[in-house]
């Protein structure tokens, strides 16, 4: 069983909104039975997530305010793929440094998924980062602002992270996917895809 690329005919398309992050359009899609159905599509640049795991099997978590759901959510470091042409692995390295002040020696791909394929093009790649080192204060060249200025870091043991996901206590999808993926790998990290693996 494997996902497959498919393109049903689009009879017409109209953009209804655009800002620096997303665009929204309405497509008129020809269904296999011949009917035309309207589908709203949110165009999104995509994102990366980073499951940073230390030698004690603890996961680096950050707490961030998310206005749409009006909650402080515990998440793994993540960020938009908003630099044209930038490899997702490089985006992940940048985001781990900017959001958590860490770098890593070992990188693998944990998971690739579409966050909400019923209406959004957002594609997310989650990386596993190991061999962690905190970036010294004098080497930090980034400035956190707005919600990022309020980030809180904490380390969560993997078994507790899994428990919290299954108990419905962690709500961030990227974090849940990353936590369950690294747990399912059972420590066989060598079998994971390399960080530069192409996206299918």
């Amino acid at each position: 069983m494997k996902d497959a690329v498919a393109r049903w005919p689009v009879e017409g398309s109209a953009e209804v909104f655009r800002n620096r992050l997303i665009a929204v359009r309405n497509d008129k899609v020809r269904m296999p039975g011949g009917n035309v159905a309207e589908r709203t599509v949110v165009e999104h640049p995509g994102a990366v997530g980073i499951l940073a795991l230390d030698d004690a099997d603890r996961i680096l978590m950050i707490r961030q305010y998310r206005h749409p759901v009006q909650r402080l959510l515990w998440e793994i470091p993540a960020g938009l793929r908003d630099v044209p042409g930038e490899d997702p692995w490089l985006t992940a390295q940048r985001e781990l440094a900017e959001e958590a002040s860490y770098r890593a020696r070992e990188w693998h791909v944990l998971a690739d998924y579409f966050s909400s394929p019923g209406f959004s093009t957002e594609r997310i790649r989650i990386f596993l980062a190991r061999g962690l080192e905190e970036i010294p204060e004098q080497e930090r060249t980034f400035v956190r602002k707005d919600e990022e200025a309020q980030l809180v870091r904490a380390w969560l043991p993997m078994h507790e992270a899994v428990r919290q996901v299954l108990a419905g206590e962690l709500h961030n999808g990227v974090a849940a996917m990353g936590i369950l993926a690294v747990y399912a790998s059972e420590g066989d990290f060598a079998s994971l895809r390399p960080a530069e693996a192409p996206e299918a």
Side-chain angles (χ1 to χ4, degrees), residues 51 53-55 57 106-110 128-130 158 181-194:
L51 190 297
L53 187 69
D54 74 3
D55 293 337
D57 277 349
E106 300 171 34
W107 290 84
H108 290 90
V109 175
L110 272 177
L128 171 64
R130 297 176 64 241
M158 188 192 307
V182 76
Y183 178 73
S185 74
E186 299 180 332
D188 184 13
F189 304 137
S191 69
L192 297 173
R193 290 173 288 161

Side-chain angles (χ1 to χ4, degrees), residues 88-111:
W89 180 28
L90 296 177
T91 306
Q93 292 177 52
R94 178 169 49 82
E95 291 294 342
L96 181 61
E98 290 176 1
E99 289 199 343
S101 301
Y102 272 85
R103 55 187 164 220
R105 291 188 309 276
E106 300 171 34
W107 290 84
H108 290 90
V109 175
L110 272 177

Side-chain angles (χ1 to χ4, degrees), residues 48-68:
V48 297
I50 305 96
L51 190 297
L53 187 69
D54 74 3
D55 293 337
D57 277 349
R58 297 181 308 164
I59 297 168
L60 179 60
M61 304 291 291
I62 58 173
R63 190 182 70 182
Q64 188 164 358
Y65 176 65
R66 295 301 189 182
H67 182 71

Side-chain angles (χ1 to χ4, degrees), residues 5 7 18 20-21 50 58 68 75 82 87 97 104-105 115 121 128 135 147 159 164 170 173 175 185:
V5 175
R7 298 189 194 282
R18 178 176 294 274
R20 66 169 191 81
L21 175 61
I50 305 96
R58 297 181 308 164
E75 308 177 350
D82 55 359
D87 186 280
R105 291 188 309 276
S115 61
T121 65
L128 171 64
I135 298 172
E147 291 97 332
H159 65 87
Q164 289 186 18
L170 288 176
S185 74

Side-chain angles (χ1 to χ4, degrees), residues 112-131:
D112 289 309
Y113 74 105
F114 295 105
S115 61
S116 296
F119 69 89
S120 174
T121 65
E122 182 181 29
R123 181 178 192 143
I124 300 176
R125 171 163 276 194
I126 302 177
F127 292 90
L128 171 64
R130 297 176 64 241

